[in-house]
Amino acid sequence: MKQIKIVEHLCPQNHFCPVVSVCHTGAIIQRSPFEAPAIDERKCTNCGRCTRFCAYGAFQIG
């Protein structure tokens, strides 16, 4: 099964990620605005909302 992943070199890592608020299961976590967010695979349903919302293309299904 394909999983959502974050391609860190596409993420600017200079702000709090707005995609965190798009996830309806709370699977996207970001501890600091200066690091890429992470996916909690136990909570992620692979709905793809984050992949459509991220303007940088850092969230991908793969």
Side-chain angles (χ1 to χ4, degrees), residues 1-60:
M1 179 163 93
K2 294 187 178 187
Q3 296 281 323
I4 304 289
K5 63 180 180 176
I6 298 172
V7 182
E8 288 192 27
H9 73 274
L10 296 177
C11 179
Q13 301 178 43
N14 64 358
H15 61 276
F16 278 110
C17 181
V19 180
V20 172
S21 65
V22 172
C23 183
H24 67 283
T25 63
I28 303 171
I29 304 155
Q30 186 182 25
R31 291 177 175 69
S32 160
F34 303 108
E35 66 179 33
I39 304 286
D40 182 341
E41 293 180 9
R42 294 170 294 156
K43 293 181 180 179
C44 182
T45 62
N46 293 307
C47 70
R49 275 187 199 175
C50 55
T51 63
R52 293 186 299 275
F53 191 81
C54 181
Y56 298 98
F59 289 77
Q60 298 181 6

